[in-house]
């Protein structure tokens, strides 16, 4: 297959534009419409006309009726080997386009309108060059979907020479809660067991971009970053502001935890010279519902915690230790300030304040409450059922409420910090080349890069740096790791679920070979046509064929 062929590049652009024309913003009916558009395009391929059972929807069973599309292309040479490809069809919203929102899904019209908008220098340069397509989703990631769909069209023309099988899942809801991929994973396992497929790898074509100013590399990512959401329910001691030393402000403890953890490189993972980003806060708030001159009792905060090697049990211990150090620092500071205050006051004698730093994990707190109330599990079950009556309750709020209920049931109402996990969880996948599938993937990509003639600088990276559905191609198998996650994530299996056993069964090495561009999730979102429509498909095609011919 000749990827310099303008016909193939043109076809990729045609599909990308056709998909972009459908507004498929997460959590809207547009997600259903774009899945139907993907199905409509693929159905026109003669192979799927002749084999209609190899093209089907996988429902998420939500109120919107969202669904993913799965297509199976079977080679005629006898082989059960299969490569799984994924791409998401949803996008973020369009409010950032302002008055140009109605043109956000029409790249060529948008380009004309953007000529009258004051843009940053890089965006203006790229617009004037004519080498980029602008529009919501054209970069993240409908061009990537188009690459796969165009390749399926081409490969289907010569199935006599295809040794193995290609499975493509166009998934919904990646930008929000990954319900598309999470419903596709069990289907992949079902196919694996029914068809006896030997899955070799999971390949995504999600976008790639410069990782820093001056980065000229076009990166191929073998492996992916993971994500955890360590959370802290902080219980202080309420008091009137006129008696401030009689209480302890949960906001101060919360802020100390924030200072200890937020953007602290101590918590970065390093693997093969690649460094995960440090934790960054996603939420911090006290739980007072009204204004008053009472110092509040509780506060909550949680962090985005990127992982390359750290597992849930490891992160839990790190966060527990950091929270204790932060809490202890607050106690020391309060005593120092109270002592100074007493010295400044003529009628006060300093006496050490009663506060002690205490940090418990959710499971540790649960065990303490069980000792007092053996019926606590039934109490929590009934409470969770009450919470679930509100179908729209956020999964993170649900977890927080469960912690709050458990702590309120404990007889000991002294200050404490409870460490737990909020959903979601994305496992990292580290490809170190030590097992045959990892090695085969590394070799397949290496050959694809070496045989692709291009002026672009191609580079390997170990971890796709953006949270993505690639994470669901595998899961830790150590029971202790899984227990640390599930037992410390209130509502796991009730409000929030993962097909962990199916992910463990897949246990696939993963990679991302994406289209290149800039400004995903910004109104200047754009994809570079030359690299994305010529080099990306060649790399994807060669990697697939190298894997299947192993």
């Amino acid at each position: 297959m000749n990827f310099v062929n303008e016909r193939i590049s043109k076809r990729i652009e045609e599909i990308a534009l056709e998909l972009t024309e459908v507004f498929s913003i997460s959590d809207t009916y547009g997600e259903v419409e774009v899945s139907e558009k993907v199905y409509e395009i693929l159905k026109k391929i003669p192979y799927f006309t002749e084999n209609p059972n190899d093209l089907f929807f996988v429902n998420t069973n939500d109120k919107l009726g969202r669904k993913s599309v799965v297509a199976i292309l079977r080679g005629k040479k006898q082989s059960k080997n299969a490569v799984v490809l994924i791409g998401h069809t949803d996008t973020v919203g369009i409010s950032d386009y302002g008055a140009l929102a109605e043109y956000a899904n029409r790249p060529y019209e948008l380009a004309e309108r953007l000529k009258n908008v004051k843009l940053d220098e890089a965006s203006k340069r790229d617009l004037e060059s004519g080498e980029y397509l602008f529009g919501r989703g054209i970069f993240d990631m409908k061009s990537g979907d188009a690459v796969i769909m165009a390749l399926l069209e081409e490969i289907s023309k010569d199935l006599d020479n295809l040794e193995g099988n290609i499975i493509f899942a166009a998934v919904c809801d990646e930008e929000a809660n990954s319900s598309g991929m999470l419903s596709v994973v069990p289907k992949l396992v079902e196919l694996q067991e029914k068809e006896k497929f030997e899955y070799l790898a999971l390949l995504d074509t999600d976008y790639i971009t410069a990782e820093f100013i001056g980065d000229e590399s076009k990166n191929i990512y073998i492996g992916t970053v993971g994500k955890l959401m360590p959370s802290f329910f902080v219980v202080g001691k309420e008091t009137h502001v006129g008696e401030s030393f009689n209480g302890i402000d949960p906001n101060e403890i919360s802020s100390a935890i924030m200072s200890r953890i937020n953007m602290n490189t101590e918590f970065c993972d390093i693997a093969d010279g690649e460094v995960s980003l440090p934790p960054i806060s996603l939420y911090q708030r006290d739980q007072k519902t009204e204004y008053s001159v009472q110092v509040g009792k509780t506060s909550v905060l949680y962090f985005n915690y990127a992982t390359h090697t750290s597992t849930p049990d490891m992160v839990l211990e790190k966060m527990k230790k950091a929270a204790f150090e932060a809490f202890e620092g607050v106690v020391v500071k309060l005593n120092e300030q109270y002592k100074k205050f007493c010295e400044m006051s003529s009628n006060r004698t300093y006496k050490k304040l009663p506060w002690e730093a205490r940090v418990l994990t959710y499971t540790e707190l649960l065990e303490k409450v069980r000792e007092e109330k053996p019926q606590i599990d039934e109490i929590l079950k009934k409470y969770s059922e009450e919470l679930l009556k509100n179908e729209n309750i956020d999964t993170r709020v649900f977890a927080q409420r469960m912690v709050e209920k458990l702590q309120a049931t404990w007889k000991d109402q002294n200050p404490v910090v409870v460490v737990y996990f909020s959903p979601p969880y994305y496992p990292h996948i580290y490809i170190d080349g030590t097992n045959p599938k990892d090695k085969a993937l590394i070799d397949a990509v290496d050959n694809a890069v070496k045989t692709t003639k291009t002026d672009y600088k191609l580079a390997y990276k170990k971890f796709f740096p953006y949270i993505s559905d690639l994470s669901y191609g595998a899961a830790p198998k150590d029971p202790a790791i899984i227990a640390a996650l599930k037992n410390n994530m209130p509502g796991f299996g009730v409000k929030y679920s993962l097909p962990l056993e199916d992910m463990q069964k897949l246990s696939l090495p993963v990679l991302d070979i994406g289209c290149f561009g800039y400004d995903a999730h910004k109104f200047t979102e754009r994809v570079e046509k030359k690299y994305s429509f010529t080099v990306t498909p060649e790399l994807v095609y060669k990697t697939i064929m190298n894997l299947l011919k192993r």
Side-chain angles (χ1 to χ4, degrees):
M1 190 181 294
N2 180 11
F3 286 94
V4 181
N5 190 319
E6 291 185 7
R7 179 181 58 80
I8 297 173
S9 296
K10 183 179 178 182
R11 182 58 182 147
I12 294 171
E13 182 174 339
E14 286 174 351
I15 296 174
L17 290 170
E18 197 169 351
L19 296 178
T20 302
E21 285 176 1
V22 182
F23 275 131
S24 53
I25 297 165
S26 292
D27 293 323
T28 70
Y29 188 73
E31 288 198 73
V32 178
E33 294 176 324
V34 78
S35 292
E36 290 173 347
K37 175 61 70 174
V38 170
Y39 185 91
E40 175 190 315
I41 295 170
L42 292 177
K43 191 176 180 181
K44 292 176 182 177
I45 298 175
Y47 173 84
F48 294 115
T49 303
E50 298 164 8
N51 300 274
N53 292 335
D54 284 343
L55 180 64
F56 52 89
F57 293 110
V58 176
N59 294 316
T60 63
N61 298 313
D62 63 14
K63 285 185 175 181
L64 287 170
R66 291 180 297 179
K67 52 197 176 183
S68 300
V69 183
V70 173
I72 306 172
L73 204 58
R74 303 173 192 265
K76 292 187 177 179
K77 289 187 175 181
Q78 291 294 324
S79 174
K80 289 296 182 181
N81 287 342
V83 175
V84 182
L85 312 177
I86 60 170
H88 71 84
T89 54
D90 62 321
T91 73
V92 295
I94 57 172
S95 60
D96 51 334
Y97 284 85
L100 298 182
E102 65 179 295
Y103 303 101
N105 64 336
R106 305 202 292 272
Y108 282 103
E109 290 181 60
L110 178 64
E112 289 301 314
R113 301 281 173 169
L114 285 173
K115 290 177 182 178
N116 299 316
V117 175
K118 186 175 181 179
L119 303 173
D120 62 89
E121 285 302 315
S123 298
K124 182 181 178 182
R125 182 177 62 248
D126 291 343
L127 178 66
E128 292 173 347
S129 74
E131 296 173 359
Y132 289 78
L133 291 174
F134 286 68
R136 175 58 78 234
I138 190 74
F139 178 41
D140 182 15
M141 64 160 284
K142 290 176 178 178
S143 290
D145 295 323
V147 166
I148 295 174
M149 293 166 70
L151 285 178
L152 291 181
E153 286 184 352
E154 289 297 317
I155 294 169
S156 70
K157 296 173 183 177
D158 189 19
L159 292 178
D160 289 337
N161 291 311
L162 177 62
E163 185 176 354
N165 309 276
I166 301 171
I167 301 172
F168 170 48
V171 299
C172 60
D173 192 38
E174 191 267 359
E175 297 287 3
N177 294 302
S178 292
S179 63
M181 186 63 181
L182 293 177
S183 56
V184 163
V185 165
K187 176 58 69 173
L188 290 174
V189 172
E190 179 187 317
L191 287 170
Q192 185 180 40
E193 294 173 348
K194 179 182 177 181
E195 305 280 355
K196 307 301 179 187
F197 285 140
E198 175 64 28
Y199 293 151
L200 305 177
L202 177 63
L203 191 160
D204 197 354
T205 52
D206 212 340
Y207 78 87
I208 63 170
T209 191
E211 291 192 4
F212 52 87
I213 296 174
D215 179 18
E216 297 181 356
S217 298
K218 304 296 181 283
N219 296 320
I220 297 165
Y221 298 95
I222 304 177
T224 189
V225 70
K227 166 179 174 164
L228 284 159
M229 292 246 292
S231 304
F232 303 83
F233 184 76
V234 181
V235 180
K237 187 64 175 178
E238 67 276 21
T239 187
H240 190 285
V241 294
E243 301 174 343
S244 53
F245 283 110
N246 288 342
I248 184 167
D249 186 356
N251 287 333
E252 182 164 13
I253 302 170
S254 172
S255 296
I257 294 171
M258 174 73 75
S259 296
R260 178 70 182 84
I261 295 173
N262 200 54
M263 297 303 291
N264 188 340
T265 55
E266 174 187 337
F267 302 108
C268 294
D269 282 348
I270 303 176
D272 287 351
E274 294 191 30
V275 185
S276 66
L277 288 168
I280 186 167
S281 69
L282 291 177
Y283 184 96
Q284 182 183 26
R285 194 168 302 170
D286 68 35
Q287 301 304 294
K288 283 179 66 175
T289 57
E290 76 291 320
Y291 170 79
S292 72
V293 291
Q294 179 196 55
V295 173
K297 184 175 181 179
T298 61
S299 179
V300 174
L301 72 159
Y302 49 76
F303 296 87
N304 187 87
Y305 194 116
T307 66
H308 285 174
T309 56
S310 292
T311 52
D313 55 328
M314 296 165 64
V315 172
L316 194 67
E317 284 304 311
K318 290 177 185 177
M319 295 294 94
K320 182 181 177 182
K321 181 175 182 291
F324 182 83
E325 292 168 351
F327 195 167
E328 195 170 43
V330 170
V331 172
V332 169
K333 176 211 162 184
L334 284 176
N335 274 287
E336 289 175 347
Q337 294 303 315
Y338 183 51
K339 186 175 183 180
K340 289 179 181 178
F341 181 76
C342 289
E343 291 170 353
M344 294 166 69
S345 305
S346 59
N347 60 344
R348 288 181 182 254
T349 302
Y350 169 72
K351 182 179 180 182
K352 186 179 179 183
L353 297 171
W355 319 125
E356 293 182 6
R358 297 193 305 168
V359 180
L360 300 172
T361 64
Y362 181 79
T363 53
E364 288 170 342
L365 176 59
L366 182 58
E367 285 304 312
K368 288 183 179 295
V369 178
R370 275 197 188 122
E371 291 174 4
E372 298 174 354
K373 291 191 175 183
Q375 70 274 31
I376 185 60
D377 293 284
E378 186 60 30
I379 293 172
L380 292 176
K381 182 175 182 294
K382 287 181 179 179
Y383 184 65
S384 71
E385 290 169 355
E386 285 298 313
L387 291 177
L388 289 172
K389 288 179 181 178
N390 176 5
E391 295 180 0
N392 297 319
I393 189 170
D394 182 81
T395 55
R396 287 143 290 272
V397 173
F398 182 93
Q400 175 192 321
R401 294 281 177 80
M402 294 299 291
V403 178
E404 189 173 22
K405 178 67 173 179
L406 179 62
Q407 189 276 330
T409 310
W410 192 22
K411 289 181 180 178
D412 186 342
Q413 289 297 297
N414 289 311
V416 67
V417 174
V418 183
V419 186
Y420 64 101
F421 289 121
S422 294
Y425 168 54
Y426 291 80
H428 62 257
I429 300 179
Y430 176 28
I431 309 300
D432 60 8
T434 56
N435 68 60
K437 282 189 178 180
D438 286 7
K439 178 78 163 53
L441 178 58
I442 292 169
D443 290 345
V445 174
D446 186 56
N447 177 268
V449 170
K450 287 179 178 177
T451 59
T452 298
K453 296 180 180 178
T454 177
D455 294 331
Y456 294 99
K457 179 184 177 183
L458 303 179
Y460 300 104
K461 289 289 186 75
K462 278 289 185 181
F463 299 92
F464 184 55
Y466 313 110
I467 302 303
S468 78
D469 287 339
L470 280 176
S471 284
Y472 299 124
K477 293 183 177 180
D478 186 334
I481 293 174
I482 297 301
L485 173 75
K486 294 169 69 173
N487 295 342
N488 287 286
M489 186 179 282
F492 188 96
V494 179
K495 178 63 180 175
Y496 174 76
S497 297
L498 284 179
L500 283 171
E501 290 185 6
D502 287 329
M503 290 158 61
Q504 290 169 337
K505 288 177 182 177
L506 289 179
S507 195
L508 291 173
V510 305
L511 77 157
D512 185 87
I513 302 175
C515 296
F516 183 80
Y518 295 100
D519 293 356
H521 299 196
K522 299 180 182 180
F523 84 96
T524 46
E525 174 180 353
R526 59 199 184 275
V527 66
E528 193 219 44
K529 294 190 285 186
K530 183 180 176 183
Y531 179 85
S532 302
F533 301 158
T534 59
V535 181
T536 297
E538 183 170 358
L539 291 170
V540 172
Y541 174 78
K542 287 180 175 178
T543 299
I544 293 170
M545 293 307 163
N546 288 340
L547 283 166
L548 292 176
K549 292 175 182 176
R550 68 172 190 162

